Amino acid sequence: MIKLKQWCIKMSSREDQEEMFETIVKEEICPVCLSPAFKISIRKYSHDKNIYEVLSSCDVCGFHSFNVFIMGDDIRNKPKRKRVRIEKHSDMDIKIVRSNTASIRIKELGVEIDPGSAAQGEIMTVDTLLRKISNIVRAFTNEENKERSEEILTRIRDIREKERFEPIHIVLEDPYGDSTF
């Protein structure tokens, strides 16, 4: 749990929202270069859910990381599996809040995204996720997997561009419960 007494508090605004959100900033020692110029900022992302953004950066070596977490004693540190059905074009705007410990699975596409040791949290829409998957598939297409890659890219293109398409299910699994739709 965060001890707010140790943090200095500043106010900042989000461009897309009129309401002011409190940002908590603390200076620490950088885990990479050991400089005292390492800043950790925590800001509430949404006023209807207890979702917080955590941005860490070092002014000396340039190291940075981004993560998200959900506050609340009833959900924090409990594994969570969430699933959403994508069946119409308006579902492309559903927000995905993925922490650095969450996996994403889309069985219909044969896609599994597991967090690596340098994984960062992210907040994105379904459309952004599908665009990222397309870019990765294109980058790793070779003669051996060309046919399968084209199948995945065609299916993603249909989902992103057509009004009617075969539904898919996106599954978020987070061992710490810090991810949601």
Side-chain angles (χ1 to χ4, degrees):
M1 183 74 55
I2 300 167
K3 295 180 180 177
L4 297 178
K5 293 176 186 172
Q6 297 176 0
W7 300 67
C8 76
I9 297 174
K10 296 181 180 179
M11 296 299 284
S12 68
S13 65
R14 297 180 66 76
E15 292 176 15
D16 57 340
Q17 297 183 11
E18 297 172 15
E19 196 171 326
M20 297 292 278
F21 288 106
E22 193 173 64
T23 299
I24 301 168
V25 180
K26 183 179 181 187
E27 289 195 1
E28 287 286 338
I29 301 296
C30 176
V32 176
C33 71
L34 303 178
S35 161
F38 188 67
K39 292 184 182 79
I40 302 171
S41 301
I42 299 178
R43 177 174 57 189
K44 188 170 185 179
Y45 174 73
S46 170
H47 48 261
D48 46 68
K49 293 183 180 177
N50 289 327
I51 299 171
Y52 289 81
E53 304 171 320
V54 181
L55 175 65
S56 305
S57 62
C58 179
D59 295 337
V60 175
C61 71
F63 172 77
H64 68 279
S65 69
F66 178 80
N67 201 9
V68 293
F69 66 93
I70 300 173
M71 286 292 276
D73 294 335
D74 59 329
I75 48 179
R76 181 83 177 130
N77 296 324
K78 293 182 183 175
K80 186 163 47 170
R81 185 175 199 251
K82 303 274 283 192
R83 180 180 167 164
V84 67
R85 179 181 168 103
I86 308 301
E87 58 188 351
K88 55 190 181 289
H89 195 69
S90 61
D91 293 338
M92 294 295 110
D93 295 328
I94 293 173
K95 279 204 171 83
I96 301 170
V97 178
R98 177 184 182 228
S99 77
N100 65 342
T101 58
S103 297
I104 297 177
R105 310 235 186 286
I106 307 174
K107 185 178 180 181
E108 296 86 353
L109 296 176
V111 171
E112 296 183 6
I113 303 169
D114 293 316
S117 59
Q120 296 197 38
E122 51 191 333
I123 300 171
M124 63 189 147
T125 62
V126 169
D127 187 57
T128 302
L129 172 65
L130 293 175
R131 196 170 45 241
K132 286 180 175 191
I133 292 169
S134 293
N135 291 339
I136 292 168
V137 169
R138 278 190 208 97
F140 289 97
T141 297
N142 57 39
E143 288 303 316
E144 292 178 28
N145 64 17
K146 186 175 184 175
E147 188 175 316
R148 178 67 181 133
S149 295
E150 285 304 318
E151 289 173 17
I152 294 170
L153 292 171
T154 300
R155 182 81 192 273
I156 290 173
R157 193 173 316 116
D158 288 348
I159 294 167
R160 292 186 65 226
E161 295 175 3
K162 293 184 178 178
E163 202 54 44
R164 293 182 167 236
F165 52 85
E166 202 173 313
I168 60 171
H169 298 86
I170 300 174
V171 177
L172 256 178
E173 295 177 338
D174 191 331
Y176 297 104
D178 286 328
S179 300
T180 191
F181 293 104

